Amino acid sequence: MIKFTKGVILVMKKFFTAIGVVAAAFALSFSVSSSATAAPREPVDVPTPMKSRIESTSVSADPVPANAVEQRTCRARFAEGVNHRRLAEIGATILEVIPAETWVPVSCERGTGGEYSACGLTSDYWMEVYWNGAWGYSAWSCVQDWEYTS
């Protein structure tokens, strides 16, 4: 009788654990889908960037020719408001200030330029950024989030 009771308890534990796992997975999938619908991506009308402003990755799969290239575009947002400069230099003309938390189209690679101190760091890396109809440069050390858009 004791073995039977222990066996039933063990089966019931596994059963309720499985129900809990399924319920947690369901709840998580629901929260992920609802947060995705709650914060839609901001539409961005950006001209097609020049080849210097996109990442090129070689594609070597058959039957694609060896010289084929896939082009990718990116976007980023900055932790603080950052200067949008004409050149990647601290003394370059400031075109505008990009507000914090604003998603903007950017190059998929960082570039080097003049050294600066911003957002608590000193660096010489810059992001090429598209803002209000013009390409320019902003401090890479202030990038909070970055992602491929295509």
Side-chain angles (χ1 to χ4, degrees):
M1 179 81 168
I2 293 175
K3 284 187 177 182
F4 176 76
T5 305
K6 285 183 181 179
V8 170
I9 292 173
L10 184 61
V11 168
M12 295 301 286
K13 280 184 179 179
K14 288 183 179 181
F15 178 73
F16 285 115
T17 301
I19 289 175
V21 168
V22 170
F26 178 73
L28 181 61
S29 68
F30 180 73
S31 68
V32 168
S33 66
S34 66
S35 67
T37 57
R41 288 190 168 186
E42 299 172 17
V44 179
D45 184 23
V46 179
T48 304
M50 298 170 25
K51 287 188 178 185
S52 67
R53 295 184 172 97
I54 56 179
E55 176 190 85
S56 298
T57 54
S58 297
V59 178
S60 60
D62 296 329
V64 178
N67 61 352
V69 173
E70 175 188 1
Q71 296 179 341
R72 300 186 86 168
T73 57
C74 301
R75 73 180 192 150
R77 69 178 167 179
F78 297 95
E80 298 177 7
V82 294
N83 291 329
H84 182 232
R85 296 182 180 274
R86 179 153 324 274
L87 301 171
E89 298 287 332
I90 194 69
T93 303
I94 298 172
L95 302 173
E96 289 188 55
V97 175
I98 301 172
E101 302 293 324
T102 303
W103 283 101
V104 293
V106 298
S107 61
C108 292
E109 297 177 357
R110 65 184 183 185
T112 57
E115 188 174 273
Y116 61 86
S117 292
C119 300
L121 298 171
T122 299
S123 179
D124 66 345
Y125 289 115
W126 295 79
M127 286 296 279
E128 195 168 10
V129 178
Y130 185 81
W131 178 248
N132 281 346
W135 283 97
Y137 296 87
S138 294
W140 179 81
S141 64
C142 293
V143 171
Q144 176 181 344
D145 295 305
W146 176 91
E147 67 185 15
Y148 288 112
T149 55
S150 68

